[in-house]
Amino acid sequence: MTDVSEWLKVESLDLEAQGVAHNSEGKVVFIEGALPGEEVQVSVGRKKNNWEQAALVAMRRESSQRVRPVCPHFGLHAGACGGCKMQHLHPGAQVAVKQRVLEDNLWHLGKVKAESLLRPIEGPATGYRYRARLSVRYVPKKGHVLVGFHERKSRYIADMQVCKVLPERVSDMLMPLRELVGSMEARDRLPQIELAIGDSSGVQVIALVLRHLEPLSAGDVDKLRAFAAEYGVQWWLQPKGPETVHLLDTGGPELAYTLPEFGVVMPFKPTDFTQVNHHINTVLVGRALRLLGVQPQERIIDWFCGLGNFTLPLATQAREVLGIEGSEALVQRSRENAERNGLSHKASFVARNLFDMTPQLLAADGNADRWLVDPPREGAFALAKALADLVQDPSLAPGYVPPKRIVYVSCNPATLARDAGLLVNVAGYRCVNAGAVNMFPHTAHVESIAVFER
């Protein structure tokens, strides 16, 4: 076991933003709050045969990348907010850590090495979260309401008065929201407020979805309306599941985001999946399409297309784009968005279970010159395996021609690496580029993009 007086040299950072060191016995020690290059003393909490979990006690050498956290609620102290993990590390160094995680995953899990690394996509490190799920809890003993993220490693809600990763207008609403909920009759039956922000036509629309476990009284509805008028927000109500979400009052501005490079406007509901970081999403879509290199005569397939975030921009460049998505409801929304943007003649959509893909089902959607793949955290294993099977045994679908280029946008480097291993080592593709995308500054979340070519 690590002696409390032993000085440890921190070698690297893991994905939970813990410093990684080795003690005098050679055992790995994970240290909360420590950064690479620092020399620290620790107090050990958990002990296993091969590793120890420890807390930082003293430091005699500080990293040049250590910075003062921007938020007063960040830290290792009791009650600290658990929404961010890396505010003590310079944002540029955070990106370098994520790039290294991507490279390590590709090699160790997929035996894949990108031929060249893309410059990471970065953006503002504060005020970037245009989506958030805020927990709400009335605490009778304290006589007040908490609204925010959970505390570090706790089911309790942090006593947040500001939040630096939320836009300033929303951060400034945290205390008024606490007062609002505290004044409502249903205050102990309101577990969650979900935030979604649109930025269409230069107008920022802030939508707040209130989850309520019982019908709201007329008095509570009046209070919501007064808050909306004072703070310039629109309330959506959610009495049960996501399908029950509806506007409290119709006739307000449309909730939508824009992709100005492609002249596309994307209306959405506040519970639809859209990217948390609009700035990064705009840059990411542009880079993905440039990497894909679409030609006007080509047919493209966009797998896991969602609302058409990539499909509609692709339709401005290609002869034809097919968007494929697991949810029938999202497919219908995609069709509406294509029509809204005058792209219905070039973009079509179908619903498929993409986690139950076979070579025959893959071939049934036809040949495509290029693919864009943007799966959830589970990745696209069934899709990659079906493609690999078709390459290995063309008799499974005579006449099928694999795409010549694939751009894969990932929110989980481990599943990207697994799928990349299939594409490169079985299906015969080269991984020509890969790079990190800092969609979530200050968190351990790693978004990335990779390009595969036959």
PDB file of all heavy atoms in Angstrom, residues 37-64:
ATOM      1  N   GLY A  37       2.812  15.202 -14.521  1.00  0.00           N
ATOM      2  CA  GLY A  37       3.996  15.991 -14.217  1.00  0.00           C
ATOM      3  C   GLY A  37       4.067  16.455 -12.781  1.00  0.00           C
ATOM      4  O   GLY A  37       5.117  16.929 -12.324  1.00  0.00           O
ATOM      5  N   GLU A  38       2.973  16.335 -12.044  1.00  0.00           N
ATOM      6  CA  GLU A  38       2.977  16.796 -10.664  1.00  0.00           C
ATOM      7  C   GLU A  38       3.563  15.727  -9.729  1.00  0.00           C
ATOM      8  O   GLU A  38       3.473  14.525 -10.003  1.00  0.00           O
ATOM      9  CB  GLU A  38       1.552  17.161 -10.226  1.00  0.00           C
ATOM     10  CG  GLU A  38       1.028  18.365 -10.990  1.00  0.00           C
ATOM     11  CD  GLU A  38      -0.347  18.826 -10.575  1.00  0.00           C
ATOM     12  OE1 GLU A  38      -1.134  18.007 -10.063  1.00  0.00           O
ATOM     13  OE2 GLU A  38      -0.638  20.014 -10.770  1.00  0.00           O
ATOM     14  N   GLU A  39       4.154  16.179  -8.637  1.00  0.00           N
ATOM     15  CA  GLU A  39       4.642  15.284  -7.591  1.00  0.00           C
ATOM     16  C   GLU A  39       3.768  15.502  -6.363  1.00  0.00           C
ATOM     17  O   GLU A  39       3.651  16.629  -5.858  1.00  0.00           O
ATOM     18  CB  GLU A  39       6.112  15.562  -7.275  1.00  0.00           C
ATOM     19  CG  GLU A  39       7.037  15.184  -8.433  1.00  0.00           C
ATOM     20  CD  GLU A  39       8.502  15.442  -8.114  1.00  0.00           C
ATOM     21  OE1 GLU A  39       8.822  15.691  -6.932  1.00  0.00           O
ATOM     22  OE2 GLU A  39       9.306  15.407  -9.051  1.00  0.00           O
ATOM     23  N   VAL A  40       3.147  14.425  -5.903  1.00  0.00           N
ATOM     24  CA  VAL A  40       2.092  14.562  -4.900  1.00  0.00           C
ATOM     25  C   VAL A  40       2.212  13.498  -3.811  1.00  0.00           C
ATOM     26  O   VAL A  40       2.808  12.430  -4.016  1.00  0.00           O
ATOM     27  CB  VAL A  40       0.696  14.457  -5.559  1.00  0.00           C
ATOM     28  CG1 VAL A  40       0.490  15.551  -6.598  1.00  0.00           C
ATOM     29  CG2 VAL A  40       0.483  13.082  -6.206  1.00  0.00           C
ATOM     30  N   GLN A  41       1.624  13.817  -2.669  1.00  0.00           N
ATOM     31  CA  GLN A  41       1.361  12.829  -1.635  1.00  0.00           C
ATOM     32  C   GLN A  41      -0.141  12.592  -1.594  1.00  0.00           C
ATOM     33  O   GLN A  41      -0.924  13.511  -1.854  1.00  0.00           O
ATOM     34  CB  GLN A  41       1.859  13.321  -0.260  1.00  0.00           C
ATOM     35  CG  GLN A  41       3.366  13.317  -0.122  1.00  0.00           C
ATOM     36  CD  GLN A  41       3.819  13.876   1.218  1.00  0.00           C
ATOM     37  OE1 GLN A  41       3.171  14.766   1.786  1.00  0.00           O
ATOM     38  NE2 GLN A  41       4.938  13.371   1.722  1.00  0.00           N
ATOM     39  N   VAL A  42      -0.516  11.356  -1.237  1.00  0.00           N
ATOM     40  CA  VAL A  42      -1.933  10.988  -1.344  1.00  0.00           C
ATOM     41  C   VAL A  42      -2.395  10.244  -0.095  1.00  0.00           C
ATOM     42  O   VAL A  42      -1.596   9.738   0.700  1.00  0.00           O
ATOM     43  CB  VAL A  42      -2.186  10.096  -2.580  1.00  0.00           C
ATOM     44  CG1 VAL A  42      -1.760  10.792  -3.860  1.00  0.00           C
ATOM     45  CG2 VAL A  42      -1.504   8.730  -2.446  1.00  0.00           C
ATOM     46  N   SER A  43      -3.717  10.193   0.027  1.00  0.00           N
ATOM     47  CA  SER A  43      -4.366   9.367   1.039  1.00  0.00           C
ATOM     48  C   SER A  43      -5.175   8.307   0.300  1.00  0.00           C
ATOM     49  O   SER A  43      -6.044   8.642  -0.516  1.00  0.00           O
ATOM     50  CB  SER A  43      -5.285  10.234   1.904  1.00  0.00           C
ATOM     51  OG  SER A  43      -6.106   9.426   2.697  1.00  0.00           O
ATOM     52  N   VAL A  44      -4.875   7.030   0.542  1.00  0.00           N
ATOM     53  CA  VAL A  44      -5.516   5.943  -0.191  1.00  0.00           C
ATOM     54  C   VAL A  44      -6.901   5.648   0.380  1.00  0.00           C
ATOM     55  O   VAL A  44      -7.069   5.517   1.600  1.00  0.00           O
ATOM     56  CB  VAL A  44      -4.644   4.665  -0.159  1.00  0.00           C
ATOM     57  CG1 VAL A  44      -5.375   3.496  -0.815  1.00  0.00           C
ATOM     58  CG2 VAL A  44      -3.320   4.931  -0.861  1.00  0.00           C
ATOM     59  N   GLY A  45      -7.892   5.573  -0.530  1.00  0.00           N
ATOM     60  CA  GLY A  45      -9.254   5.206  -0.133  1.00  0.00           C
ATOM     61  C   GLY A  45      -9.521   3.733  -0.392  1.00  0.00           C
ATOM     62  O   GLY A  45      -9.586   2.916   0.518  1.00  0.00           O
ATOM     63  N   ARG A  46      -9.600   3.379  -1.668  1.00  0.00           N
ATOM     64  CA  ARG A  46      -9.882   1.982  -2.046  1.00  0.00           C
ATOM     65  C   ARG A  46      -8.590   1.283  -2.438  1.00  0.00           C
ATOM     66  O   ARG A  46      -7.710   1.887  -3.053  1.00  0.00           O
ATOM     67  CB  ARG A  46     -10.851   1.941  -3.228  1.00  0.00           C
ATOM     68  CG  ARG A  46     -12.239   2.457  -2.900  1.00  0.00           C
ATOM     69  CD  ARG A  46     -13.136   2.405  -4.134  1.00  0.00           C
ATOM     70  NE  ARG A  46     -13.358   1.034  -4.566  1.00  0.00           N
ATOM     71  CZ  ARG A  46     -13.777   0.699  -5.793  1.00  0.00           C
ATOM     72  NH1 ARG A  46     -13.969   1.646  -6.698  1.00  0.00           N
ATOM     73  NH2 ARG A  46     -13.983  -0.554  -6.112  1.00  0.00           N
ATOM     74  N   LYS A  47      -8.518  -0.018  -2.104  1.00  0.00           N
ATOM     75  CA  LYS A  47      -7.340  -0.813  -2.456  1.00  0.00           C
ATOM     76  C   LYS A  47      -7.783  -2.093  -3.144  1.00  0.00           C
ATOM     77  O   LYS A  47      -8.700  -2.777  -2.677  1.00  0.00           O
ATOM     78  CB  LYS A  47      -6.539  -1.182  -1.191  1.00  0.00           C
ATOM     79  CG  LYS A  47      -6.013  -0.002  -0.415  1.00  0.00           C
ATOM     80  CD  LYS A  47      -5.111  -0.425   0.717  1.00  0.00           C
ATOM     81  CE  LYS A  47      -5.863  -1.177   1.801  1.00  0.00           C
ATOM     82  NZ  LYS A  47      -6.764  -0.304   2.561  1.00  0.00           N
ATOM     83  N   LYS A  48      -7.172  -2.403  -4.275  1.00  0.00           N
ATOM     84  CA  LYS A  48      -7.379  -3.674  -4.976  1.00  0.00           C
ATOM     85  C   LYS A  48      -6.011  -4.309  -5.196  1.00  0.00           C
ATOM     86  O   LYS A  48      -4.972  -3.706  -4.906  1.00  0.00           O
ATOM     87  CB  LYS A  48      -8.074  -3.425  -6.323  1.00  0.00           C
ATOM     88  CG  LYS A  48      -9.492  -2.862  -6.194  1.00  0.00           C
ATOM     89  CD  LYS A  48     -10.457  -3.875  -5.640  1.00  0.00           C
ATOM     90  CE  LYS A  48     -11.881  -3.312  -5.576  1.00  0.00           C
ATOM     91  NZ  LYS A  48     -12.837  -4.268  -5.004  1.00  0.00           N
ATOM     92  N   ASN A  49      -6.008  -5.530  -5.736  1.00  0.00           N
ATOM     93  CA  ASN A  49      -4.728  -6.220  -5.947  1.00  0.00           C
ATOM     94  C   ASN A  49      -3.795  -5.452  -6.868  1.00  0.00           C
ATOM     95  O   ASN A  49      -2.585  -5.402  -6.650  1.00  0.00           O
ATOM     96  CB  ASN A  49      -4.967  -7.622  -6.524  1.00  0.00           C
ATOM     97  CG  ASN A  49      -5.563  -8.553  -5.485  1.00  0.00           C
ATOM     98  OD1 ASN A  49      -5.428  -8.301  -4.289  1.00  0.00           O
ATOM     99  ND2 ASN A  49      -6.232  -9.614  -5.927  1.00  0.00           N
ATOM    100  N   ASN A  50      -4.365  -4.840  -7.921  1.00  0.00           N
ATOM    101  CA  ASN A  50      -3.530  -4.217  -8.948  1.00  0.00           C
ATOM    102  C   ASN A  50      -3.535  -2.692  -8.924  1.00  0.00           C
ATOM    103  O   ASN A  50      -2.779  -2.068  -9.651  1.00  0.00           O
ATOM    104  CB  ASN A  50      -3.980  -4.683 -10.339  1.00  0.00           C
ATOM    105  CG  ASN A  50      -3.832  -6.180 -10.507  1.00  0.00           C
ATOM    106  OD1 ASN A  50      -2.874  -6.768 -10.002  1.00  0.00           O
ATOM    107  ND2 ASN A  50      -4.785  -6.797 -11.191  1.00  0.00           N
ATOM    108  N   TRP A  51      -4.435  -2.100  -8.133  1.00  0.00           N
ATOM    109  CA  TRP A  51      -4.511  -0.645  -8.150  1.00  0.00           C
ATOM    110  C   TRP A  51      -5.055  -0.100  -6.839  1.00  0.00           C
ATOM    111  O   TRP A  51      -5.643  -0.838  -6.031  1.00  0.00           O
ATOM    112  CB  TRP A  51      -5.358  -0.153  -9.323  1.00  0.00           C
ATOM    113  CG  TRP A  51      -6.763  -0.715  -9.372  1.00  0.00           C
ATOM    114  CD1 TRP A  51      -7.160  -1.850 -10.009  1.00  0.00           C
ATOM    115  CD2 TRP A  51      -7.938  -0.179  -8.748  1.00  0.00           C
ATOM    116  NE1 TRP A  51      -8.502  -2.060  -9.828  1.00  0.00           N
ATOM    117  CE2 TRP A  51      -9.006  -1.046  -9.056  1.00  0.00           C
ATOM    118  CE3 TRP A  51      -8.197   0.938  -7.967  1.00  0.00           C
ATOM    119  CZ2 TRP A  51     -10.316  -0.835  -8.624  1.00  0.00           C
ATOM    120  CZ3 TRP A  51      -9.497   1.159  -7.511  1.00  0.00           C
ATOM    121  CH2 TRP A  51     -10.536   0.277  -7.853  1.00  0.00           C
ATOM    122  N   GLU A  52      -4.861   1.203  -6.673  1.00  0.00           N
ATOM    123  CA  GLU A  52      -5.393   1.915  -5.509  1.00  0.00           C
ATOM    124  C   GLU A  52      -6.066   3.208  -5.970  1.00  0.00           C
ATOM    125  O   GLU A  52      -5.660   3.799  -6.975  1.00  0.00           O
ATOM    126  CB  GLU A  52      -4.267   2.270  -4.523  1.00  0.00           C
ATOM    127  CG  GLU A  52      -3.594   1.076  -3.899  1.00  0.00           C
ATOM    128  CD  GLU A  52      -2.404   1.459  -3.028  1.00  0.00           C
ATOM    129  OE1 GLU A  52      -1.969   2.638  -3.070  1.00  0.00           O
ATOM    130  OE2 GLU A  52      -1.913   0.562  -2.321  1.00  0.00           O
ATOM    131  N   GLN A  53      -7.075   3.602  -5.235  1.00  0.00           N
ATOM    132  CA  GLN A  53      -7.749   4.883  -5.489  1.00  0.00           C
ATOM    133  C   GLN A  53      -7.360   5.827  -4.364  1.00  0.00           C
ATOM    134  O   GLN A  53      -7.443   5.453  -3.191  1.00  0.00           O
ATOM    135  CB  GLN A  53      -9.260   4.665  -5.485  1.00  0.00           C
ATOM    136  CG  GLN A  53     -10.062   5.907  -5.794  1.00  0.00           C
ATOM    137  CD  GLN A  53     -10.434   5.985  -7.246  1.00  0.00           C
ATOM    138  OE1 GLN A  53     -10.819   4.998  -7.837  1.00  0.00           O
ATOM    139  NE2 GLN A  53     -10.294   7.159  -7.822  1.00  0.00           N
ATOM    140  N   ALA A  54      -6.923   7.030  -4.704  1.00  0.00           N
ATOM    141  CA  ALA A  54      -6.403   7.922  -3.672  1.00  0.00           C
ATOM    142  C   ALA A  54      -6.854   9.358  -3.895  1.00  0.00           C
ATOM    143  O   ALA A  54      -7.272   9.740  -4.993  1.00  0.00           O
ATOM    144  CB  ALA A  54      -4.869   7.857  -3.674  1.00  0.00           C
ATOM    145  N   ALA A  55      -6.757  10.128  -2.831  1.00  0.00           N
ATOM    146  CA  ALA A  55      -7.060  11.563  -2.887  1.00  0.00           C
ATOM    147  C   ALA A  55      -5.774  12.352  -2.687  1.00  0.00           C
ATOM    148  O   ALA A  55      -4.886  11.941  -1.945  1.00  0.00           O
ATOM    149  CB  ALA A  55      -8.076  11.919  -1.808  1.00  0.00           C
ATOM    150  N   LEU A  56      -5.705  13.481  -3.340  1.00  0.00           N
ATOM    151  CA  LEU A  56      -4.536  14.369  -3.255  1.00  0.00           C
ATOM    152  C   LEU A  56      -4.472  15.009  -1.864  1.00  0.00           C
ATOM    153  O   LEU A  56      -5.458  15.552  -1.370  1.00  0.00           O
ATOM    154  CB  LEU A  56      -4.681  15.441  -4.340  1.00  0.00           C
ATOM    155  CG  LEU A  56      -3.597  16.489  -4.482  1.00  0.00           C
ATOM    156  CD1 LEU A  56      -2.276  15.843  -4.870  1.00  0.00           C
ATOM    157  CD2 LEU A  56      -4.000  17.505  -5.546  1.00  0.00           C
ATOM    158  N   VAL A  57      -3.281  14.915  -1.231  1.00  0.00           N
ATOM    159  CA  VAL A  57      -3.094  15.488   0.100  1.00  0.00           C
ATOM    160  C   VAL A  57      -2.119  16.672   0.068  1.00  0.00           C
ATOM    161  O   VAL A  57      -2.348  17.710   0.685  1.00  0.00           O
ATOM    162  CB  VAL A  57      -2.577  14.402   1.086  1.00  0.00           C
ATOM    163  CG1 VAL A  57      -2.185  15.036   2.421  1.00  0.00           C
ATOM    164  CG2 VAL A  57      -3.635  13.337   1.299  1.00  0.00           C
ATOM    165  N   ALA A  58      -1.008  16.501  -0.664  1.00  0.00           N
ATOM    166  CA  ALA A  58       0.003  17.569  -0.735  1.00  0.00           C
ATOM    167  C   ALA A  58       0.679  17.532  -2.095  1.00  0.00           C
ATOM    168  O   ALA A  58       0.671  16.506  -2.781  1.00  0.00           O
ATOM    169  CB  ALA A  58       1.038  17.379   0.374  1.00  0.00           C
ATOM    170  N   MET A  59       1.249  18.669  -2.488  1.00  0.00           N
ATOM    171  CA  MET A  59       1.895  18.763  -3.793  1.00  0.00           C
ATOM    172  C   MET A  59       3.194  19.558  -3.647  1.00  0.00           C
ATOM    173  O   MET A  59       3.214  20.598  -2.981  1.00  0.00           O
ATOM    174  CB  MET A  59       0.961  19.468  -4.785  1.00  0.00           C
ATOM    175  CG  MET A  59       1.480  19.525  -6.205  1.00  0.00           C
ATOM    176  SD  MET A  59       0.461  20.618  -7.243  1.00  0.00           S
ATOM    177  CE  MET A  59      -1.189  19.988  -6.949  1.00  0.00           C
ATOM    178  N   ARG A  60       4.280  19.067  -4.255  1.00  0.00           N
ATOM    179  CA  ARG A  60       5.520  19.843  -4.218  1.00  0.00           C
ATOM    180  C   ARG A  60       5.964  20.278  -5.618  1.00  0.00           C
ATOM    181  O   ARG A  60       6.927  21.028  -5.755  1.00  0.00           O
ATOM    182  CB  ARG A  60       6.627  19.061  -3.508  1.00  0.00           C
ATOM    183  CG  ARG A  60       7.175  17.859  -4.250  1.00  0.00           C
ATOM    184  CD  ARG A  60       8.286  17.195  -3.445  1.00  0.00           C
ATOM    185  NE  ARG A  60       8.853  16.052  -4.161  1.00  0.00           N
ATOM    186  CZ  ARG A  60       9.675  15.168  -3.592  1.00  0.00           C
ATOM    187  NH1 ARG A  60      10.007  15.302  -2.311  1.00  0.00           N
ATOM    188  NH2 ARG A  60      10.146  14.163  -4.291  1.00  0.00           N
ATOM    189  N   ARG A  61       5.304  19.777  -6.632  1.00  0.00           N
ATOM    190  CA  ARG A  61       5.573  20.254  -7.992  1.00  0.00           C
ATOM    191  C   ARG A  61       4.248  20.335  -8.733  1.00  0.00           C
ATOM    192  O   ARG A  61       3.514  19.355  -8.803  1.00  0.00           O
ATOM    193  CB  ARG A  61       6.520  19.298  -8.710  1.00  0.00           C
ATOM    194  CG  ARG A  61       6.873  19.771 -10.113  1.00  0.00           C
ATOM    195  CD  ARG A  61       7.792  18.808 -10.810  1.00  0.00           C
ATOM    196  NE  ARG A  61       7.993  19.192 -12.204  1.00  0.00           N
ATOM    197  CZ  ARG A  61       8.619  18.456 -13.082  1.00  0.00           C
ATOM    198  NH1 ARG A  61       9.115  17.279 -12.733  1.00  0.00           N
ATOM    199  NH2 ARG A  61       8.768  18.865 -14.319  1.00  0.00           N
ATOM    200  N   GLU A  62       3.948  21.518  -9.269  1.00  0.00           N
ATOM    201  CA  GLU A  62       2.642  21.750  -9.902  1.00  0.00           C
ATOM    202  C   GLU A  62       2.779  21.754 -11.421  1.00  0.00           C
ATOM    203  O   GLU A  62       3.763  22.258 -11.969  1.00  0.00           O
ATOM    204  CB  GLU A  62       2.069  23.089  -9.430  1.00  0.00           C
ATOM    205  CG  GLU A  62       0.679  23.392  -9.950  1.00  0.00           C
ATOM    206  CD  GLU A  62       0.115  24.667  -9.343  1.00  0.00           C
ATOM    207  OE1 GLU A  62      -0.332  24.610  -8.175  1.00  0.00           O
ATOM    208  OE2 GLU A  62       0.159  25.712 -10.028  1.00  0.00           O
ATOM    209  N   SER A  63       1.780  21.221 -12.101  1.00  0.00           N
ATOM    210  CA  SER A  63       1.781  21.199 -13.563  1.00  0.00           C
ATOM    211  C   SER A  63       1.626  22.609 -14.129  1.00  0.00           C
ATOM    212  O   SER A  63       0.850  23.422 -13.601  1.00  0.00           O
ATOM    213  CB  SER A  63       0.633  20.326 -14.073  1.00  0.00           C
ATOM    214  OG  SER A  63       0.453  20.507 -15.467  1.00  0.00           O
ATOM    215  N   SER A  64       2.323  22.875 -15.217  1.00  0.00           N
ATOM    216  CA  SER A  64       2.176  24.171 -15.902  1.00  0.00           C
ATOM    217  C   SER A  64       0.806  24.287 -16.562  1.00  0.00           C
ATOM    218  O   SER A  64       0.388  25.379 -16.955  1.00  0.00           O
ATOM    219  CB  SER A  64       3.279  24.337 -16.952  1.00  0.00           C
ATOM    220  OG  SER A  64       3.168  23.313 -17.939  1.00  0.00           O
TER     221      SER A  64
END
